[in-house]
Amino acid sequence: MAIAPALVSANKCFGGWQKVFSHRSEQLKCQMNFAIFLPPQVDTKKSLPVLYWLSGLTCTEQNFITKSGAQKYAAVHGIILVAPDTSPRGCDIEGEDEAYDFGSGAGFYVNATEEKWKTNYRMFSYITEELPALLAANFPVDIGRQSVFGHSMGGHGALICMLKNPGKYRSVSAFSPICNPSACPWGQKAFTGYLGDNREAWKEWDASELLKIYKGHDLDILVDQGKADNFLTAGQLLPDSLVAACASSGQKVKLRMQEDYDHSYFFIASFIEDHINYHAKYLKT
């Protein structure tokens, strides 16, 4: 019998509850935390739609729930928000804590194939399979109505979750996502470490490459990108690659370039209402 997740913290928030739980992950072979916002509508005893937030490099489940202000808008729409951690933790793998952009806090939402990492670093399967099953067994979520969004590395994660699982998610959006990881320094470092040197294998985890072969339902992707984002100018994010890939595959993307905004949660908090409203259109139908 599966063990129910253990409550770590609970805070009243916008009429609902912001909680954090801990559980043993079978996919990751370690203890993991996830945050869940239960809006006031959970009291109706009806199953509610769920929206997953995937965070960026160095983050835990805490960054989004303490900085974004998303709970206010999720409470209006009756949407459950779930924010998992960004990597396995405490796996005692040599080198896992040596860099901010690889290992702990930098799982890149892939299933690693390299020997050193493949046992624990299976964030894609954790996010798309294990976590939804855990939620369905313990919370009033309607797994038939789920969507995904994220920031930076997590924006990359949200995009590949949608593209590799046509029909699983109703909608996808992102803030300053890593759009073409095969072609940027962050992605190349992570993919080499987790997936090896075969660049053909990288394409299975790259949104701009996946769009070229995508055969699922029509997409309507929302992306916000700050023009003053230093990682944009450093060539880490490459939103033009995503736009080009969408154009070539006939998929719809709305890229909003936001003047003077950077890569921070000040940017995310400024436009989070738009993203919640966007997902609500799909989750409430």
Side-chain angles (χ1 to χ4, degrees):
M1 179 181 294
I3 300 174
L7 182 65
V8 175
S9 64
N11 300 92
K12 192 71 174 178
C13 183
F14 293 105
W17 286 94
Q18 179 61 64
K19 297 184 177 184
V20 174
F21 288 87
S22 176
H23 74 108
R24 175 75 183 180
S25 168
E26 293 302 317
Q27 286 286 349
L28 308 180
K29 306 295 189 292
C30 68
Q31 201 72 15
M32 291 292 287
N33 283 359
F34 67 89
I36 183 167
F37 174 66
L38 299 168
Q41 292 87 343
V42 296
D43 292 337
T44 64
K45 308 301 181 184
K46 295 180 180 178
S47 295
L48 299 178
V50 58
L51 176 57
Y52 300 90
W53 170 267
L54 305 184
S55 290
L57 292 167
T58 75
C59 291
T60 69
E61 78 287 345
Q62 289 292 321
N63 300 72
F64 179 71
I65 66 173
T66 57
K67 296 179 180 180
S68 72
Q71 298 94 333
K72 177 179 180 180
Y73 310 109
V76 171
H77 291 291
I79 295 172
I80 292 174
L81 293 174
V82 174
D85 203 348
T86 54
S87 77
R89 300 284 177 175
C91 296
D92 296 325
I93 302 172
E94 182 184 2
E96 69 179 340
D97 296 321
E98 292 180 358
Y100 82 94
D101 55 358
F102 186 80
S104 296
F108 262 82
Y109 302 103
V110 302
N111 285 342
T113 55
E114 287 295 281
E115 188 65 34
K116 185 176 179 180
W117 306 97
K118 69 180 185 180
T119 298
N120 302 99
Y121 277 69
R122 296 180 51 79
M123 285 298 292
F124 183 77
S125 288
Y126 174 72
I127 297 296
T128 62
E129 298 173 15
E130 182 177 5
L131 187 57
L134 181 75
L135 296 172
N138 293 279
F139 301 96
V141 299
D142 180 355
I143 295 301
R145 291 186 293 159
Q146 55 181 358
S147 292
V148 61
F149 67 153
H151 172 232
S152 194
M153 176 185 74
H156 144 76
L159 290 167
I160 66 171
C161 282
M162 170 66 96
L163 292 168
K164 290 172 73 68
N165 291 285
K168 182 181 283 283
Y169 302 97
R170 295 276 185 97
S171 52
V172 62
S173 72
F175 291 85
S176 44
I178 301 173
C179 295
N180 192 185
S182 299
C184 75
W186 274 341
Q188 290 168 350
K189 177 178 180 178
F191 283 8
T192 300
Y194 295 135
L195 305 173
D197 295 325
N198 181 0
R199 288 178 174 254
E200 284 300 308
W202 295 5
K203 292 180 179 180
E204 298 178 26
W205 304 99
D206 185 320
S208 293
E209 295 293 338
L210 287 168
L211 274 161
K212 297 175 183 178
I213 58 171
Y214 179 74
K215 301 297 183 184
H217 65 282
D218 289 344
L219 301 175
D220 181 14
I221 304 169
L222 172 63
V223 175
D224 272 309
Q225 172 64 62
K227 285 188 176 182
D229 187 329
N230 58 317
F231 298 117
L232 175 67
T233 55
Q236 296 282 20
L237 306 177
L238 306 176
D240 290 343
S241 295
L242 183 72
V243 172
C246 283
S248 67
S249 62
Q251 298 299 332
K252 183 180 178 182
V253 61
K254 185 174 185 179
L255 172 63
R256 307 193 306 185
M257 300 297 296
Q258 304 290 2
E259 197 74 40
D260 296 329
Y261 285 93
D262 57 21
H263 200 71
S264 71
Y265 266 88
F266 294 109
F267 166 53
I268 294 169
S270 299
F271 298 100
I272 196 69
E273 181 180 9
D274 290 352
H275 284 247
I276 300 289
N277 289 343
Y278 158 79
H279 289 291
K281 285 191 309 180
Y282 295 93
L283 290 171
K284 295 172 75 175
T285 57

